[in-house]
Amino acid sequence: MVKLKNYNDRMKLFVLLLTFITLISCSSHHYYTTKIEGKKISISENQNGIPSIENYIKPYKETIDKDLNEVLAYCPENIEKTGVWQTNMGCFLADITLEKSNPIFQQREQKNIDVCLLNHGGIRTIIPKGNVTARNAYEVMPFENSAVVIGFKGAQLLEIANFIVTEKKPHPLAGMTFTISKDNQVKNILIQGKPLELEKVYHVVTSDYLSNGGDNMIFFKKGVSRCDTNYKLRNIIIDYFKDVDTIRINKDVRIIQE
């Protein structure tokens, strides 16, 4: 009986040990990066029989160039980005952004966009006189920004006007006009040709970058509603080019300084 008891005790210890080892082996292991090494690999015109990178990408480049260089419309004069309170380029971009985004917003929300506000710094170049292509659109708007519609109380639109006066930059603006008085105050604000109502909700289309407070436009965070159109600003330009034969250049005065 003594020997049997000792045998049972040993078996229990063995089972416990086996269970402990199994639990340890099944536990997850954590690995950490302790060292990163790298080396410079030179790329020659022909290395070890491998075609050059230029030849490798040539078919893709030719296809892309063909798409980008296709003539889409005609520009009757240079569309510039220089100006005091507004520019031809800014007015053009704001106009077509409002025009092209509005049908999407109407379909989704059964409402109209009232105003467009973009940022002058987002315009990278001009559109020269002559034939225009998709490449022009990429050069003007190289970023992946999309159009977003923000709902605002009228009081925030007053804040937008004051921001423009303080910034003293020709930010692209459409659907909204106002006057700057001699003492640098904003007055006579009109939205779609009608006087501003402080309690009314208006809808402003802008870029997703600005809608999140970019370029110090933090007033966009005060919006009461938001609609992401997923329509890239660059595609708006390209689609506009495709829809017209000759680009319309609207030179309406939007900001008057006394």
Side-chain angles (χ1 to χ4, degrees):
M1 292 295 292
V2 174
K3 290 183 178 180
L4 182 60
K5 184 173 186 277
N6 290 338
Y7 174 78
N8 290 335
D9 290 341
R10 290 174 183 171
M11 281 298 295
K12 290 179 180 178
L13 289 173
F14 176 73
V15 171
L16 287 173
L17 180 62
L18 186 62
T19 302
F20 178 72
I21 292 172
T22 302
L23 289 173
I24 292 177
S25 64
C26 292
S27 63
S28 60
H29 297 282
H30 298 282
Y31 299 96
Y32 302 93
T33 302
T34 58
K35 186 178 181 182
I36 299 176
E37 292 183 342
K39 62 179 180 179
K40 182 178 179 180
I41 301 176
S42 62
I43 300 176
S44 61
E45 193 66 25
N46 194 319
Q47 183 173 324
N48 298 326
I50 301 174
S52 69
I53 290 179
E54 183 175 346
N55 288 335
Y56 180 77
I57 66 172
K58 184 178 179 181
Y60 305 99
K61 181 177 184 300
E62 289 176 348
T63 300
I64 292 173
D65 284 342
K66 182 180 178 182
D67 291 338
L68 291 180
N69 294 333
E70 180 185 359
V71 175
L72 303 177
Y74 178 78
C75 185
E77 61 181 84
N78 288 347
I79 304 181
E80 305 281 355
K81 54 174 289 187
T82 55
V84 180
W85 294 111
Q86 65 184 60
T87 69
N88 287 350
M89 177 64 81
C91 292
F92 168 71
L93 292 177
D95 285 345
I96 66 172
T97 300
L98 196 157
E99 176 185 325
K100 290 292 185 182
S101 300
N102 198 48
I104 298 174
F105 188 63
Q106 284 178 328
Q107 184 177 21
R108 294 184 184 178
E109 304 293 334
Q110 291 73 55
K111 299 173 183 176
N112 287 311
I113 298 173
D114 302 291
V115 174
C116 176
L117 176 66
L118 302 172
N119 61 323
H120 181 255
I123 307 171
R124 289 311 188 189
T125 189
I126 70 169
I127 298 177
K129 178 181 178 179
N131 293 332
V132 294
T133 65
R135 188 180 297 278
N136 292 114
Y138 275 85
E139 291 171 347
V140 171
M141 194 69 63
F143 313 107
E144 297 299 312
N145 296 123
S146 298
V148 174
V149 182
I150 304 295
F152 276 127
K153 286 288 189 70
Q156 268 69 61
L157 290 187
L158 176 59
E159 188 174 345
I160 287 176
N162 285 321
F163 172 82
I164 293 173
V165 173
T166 301
E167 282 268 295
K168 295 182 179 179
K169 293 180 180 178
H171 294 302
L173 183 68
M176 177 178 180
T177 63
F178 60 88
T179 300
I180 305 172
S181 66
K182 292 181 180 179
D183 57 352
N184 224 35
Q185 298 300 308
V186 172
K187 65 179 186 179
N188 300 334
I189 299 177
L190 300 178
I191 308 300
Q192 293 294 330
K194 298 179 181 179
L196 175 69
E197 300 177 38
L198 296 181
E199 293 302 316
K200 181 179 177 179
V201 174
Y202 296 92
H203 296 94
V204 180
V205 62
T206 187
S207 72
D208 52 356
Y209 168 68
L210 298 178
S211 71
N212 293 317
D215 213 2
N216 297 318
M217 295 190 185
I218 56 175
F219 45 78
F220 276 116
K221 293 185 175 183
K222 300 177 183 179
V224 297
S225 65
R226 178 187 178 103
C227 175
D228 292 270
T229 68
N230 299 314
Y231 196 178
K232 292 189 184 302
L233 299 182
R234 181 175 57 245
N235 289 345
I236 287 175
I237 302 173
I238 293 173
D239 288 345
Y240 174 81
F241 287 166
K242 290 179 178 179
D243 288 345
V244 301
D245 176 74
T246 302
I247 294 175
R248 300 189 309 270
I249 303 175
N250 191 339
K251 298 183 180 181
D252 291 346
V253 177
R254 303 170 190 202
I255 300 176
I256 300 172
Q257 186 168 23
E258 292 182 339

